[in-house]
Amino acid sequence: MALTLHVDAARWRAYLSATLAANPGLIPVVKGNGYGFGLDLLVAECARLHGSAGVGMIAVGTYAEAPVALAAFPGDVLVMEPYRPVIHDALPHLGDGALVHTITNGPDLDDLAGRVGRARVVVEGLSSMNRHGIPAEWMQPALDALAPCDLLGLSLHLPLGSGHVAEVRRWVDQFAVREWQLSHVTPAEQAELRAAYPDHTFRVRMGTQLWLGDSQACRVTGHVLDVRHVSTGDRAGYRGKRLRAGWLLVVSGGTAQGVALEAPSGADTMRHRAVAFAEGALEAAGRIRSPFRVGGHTTWFVEPPHMQVSLIMLPEGSTPPEVGAEVDVRVRNTTLHADLIVLE
């Protein structure tokens, strides 16, 4: 049995090429579960793009992910997690010449310089995202202390969406640094910044939009493992859930593969709130919508998904699939751990 990620390789790679062309100097982000593709596959894809598209740097999320990238990518590897001596000082790959460190305060910079010598660094400013970074009023002293290190540029991790040009310009106008790494800045905004600062370089770090921007290039399927007809009053599952008449399906895919794992909802619009309320009311009534679709139709969980399989129901009168058939499943790529990835 397998939960399978099917990738239309030609379409996916055409989209990657178009995205790279629209974002000059783009830095692919390879982190976490590899956006559903896995770290190994994405690093291999970046190595291919290093040769064919001139991608010279990739970014990983943490120091724990760096060895995979360092081993398989021939260019530079930026770690977006800020260097913290109390956590990272003993890492064996800290001094790798291809590694680029993110610095967000002076004491950490001093420690890194003492351990690595001329460490290669990116200094991150505290943007309106308000996550990691040095506030603008403290940035110049940090830059003045960079003598023991090689500064590759300043970075700003910005919130989702657009409308960031004014914020970026406030930073650029304050500091005599020519290279900037940015997140969540559109091609149009990049063009506006390049026109305003023709002697500067603006590079975008991109993950989700790069790897998952063409939603039609990938689909996820699960195998049908068992099919049986049940009558009203029959029971199934760990909790002996009472069933209505119909078809009980056992399908591959559960929590271990990321099925039905949802991030907390921001509920920042009336529509989002209405959907969250409706789904919560259904769950309270014992009806949990399943992400599996059979013959194009929505299905319902018998109970929450198991670790590697799920029990779902089709209503009486439906035509059930055969054992061994594959059914589509909607799953968040950032939680997906597919058993099999097929480049088709």
Side-chain angles (χ1 to χ4, degrees):
M1 66 179 182
L3 192 79
T4 305
L5 172 62
H6 302 265
V7 183
D8 182 335
R11 177 170 182 156
W12 184 55
R13 286 172 173 154
Y15 174 79
L16 298 182
S17 296
T19 305
L20 287 166
N23 297 271
L26 187 148
I27 301 171
V29 176
V30 180
K31 64 180 182 178
N33 68 336
Y35 299 90
F37 299 94
L39 290 180
D40 289 337
L41 189 151
L42 288 194
V43 172
E45 198 64 23
C46 289
R48 181 186 70 82
L49 293 169
H50 179 272
S52 65
V55 172
M57 176 184 287
I58 64 174
V60 297
T62 69
Y63 280 96
E65 296 163 349
V68 174
L70 291 169
F73 182 69
D76 293 332
V77 176
L78 167 70
V79 180
M80 294 189 297
E81 172 186 30
Y83 174 72
R84 296 285 186 259
V86 68
I87 303 172
H88 306 126
D89 60 357
L91 293 176
H93 55 277
L94 205 60
D96 192 299
L99 206 61
V100 180
H101 308 269
T102 296
I103 294 298
T104 60
N105 67 55
D108 291 348
L109 174 65
D110 293 340
D111 182 274
L112 181 65
R115 296 178 189 280
V116 177
R118 293 205 65 82
R120 303 168 71 225
V121 302
V122 167
V123 178
E124 184 163 328
L126 186 64
S127 74
S128 56
M129 177 80 173
N130 203 19
R131 192 170 67 173
H132 306 304
I134 299 176
E137 60 269 25
W138 299 349
M139 179 62 77
Q140 192 56 56
L143 295 178
D144 293 341
L146 277 171
C149 299
D150 290 330
L151 176 67
L152 273 63
L154 264 61
S155 73
L156 296 173
H157 195 105
L158 300 158
L160 293 173
S162 57
H164 302 309
V165 169
E167 180 174 0
V168 174
R169 293 193 64 158
R170 285 195 296 272
W171 281 87
V172 175
D173 288 342
Q174 291 184 70
F175 305 106
V177 176
R178 298 298 178 87
E179 178 154 330
W180 292 78
Q181 295 183 7
L182 309 172
S183 61
H184 308 132
V185 177
T186 67
E189 290 176 325
Q190 294 171 52
E192 183 177 344
L193 288 167
R194 292 186 181 105
Y197 304 95
D199 57 344
H200 285 57
T201 299
F202 297 96
R203 305 181 67 187
V204 172
R205 300 183 303 212
M206 187 182 296
T208 303
Q209 188 60 34
L210 174 64
W211 305 117
L212 303 174
D214 184 350
S215 61
Q216 301 303 307
C218 302
R219 71 186 186 102
V220 180
T221 64
H223 279 119
V224 177
L225 305 175
D226 275 293
V227 179
R228 65 179 61 89
H229 186 267
V230 294
S231 301
T232 298
D234 288 350
R235 295 180 179 273
Y238 286 120
R239 298 162 183 82
K241 176 74 175 291
R242 189 181 296 274
L243 306 175
R244 298 178 182 179
W247 294 95
L248 173 66
L249 275 59
V250 184
V251 293
S252 59
T255 55
Q257 291 101 338
V259 170
L261 299 184
E262 296 292 338
S265 171
D268 52 357
T269 67
M270 287 302 296
R271 180 179 179 277
H272 290 160
R273 294 187 183 108
V275 170
F277 179 81
E279 293 288 351
L282 285 169
E283 185 172 344
R287 287 174 60 78
I288 307 172
R289 195 186 309 273
S290 146
F292 296 92
R293 293 184 67 83
V294 178
H297 300 293
T298 297
T299 62
W300 299 85
F301 281 124
V302 171
E303 63 182 359
H306 303 169
M307 183 172 284
Q308 293 178 308
V309 300
S310 294
L311 305 183
I312 62 175
M313 284 293 301
L314 290 180
E316 186 81 308
S318 302
T319 301
E322 300 287 336
V323 170
E326 290 186 86
V327 297
D328 290 330
V329 55
R330 177 178 54 82
V331 59
R332 292 177 66 233
N333 287 77
T334 50
T335 64
L336 173 63
H337 290 273
D339 299 305
L340 183 65
I341 301 174
V342 180
L343 296 179
E344 299 172 335

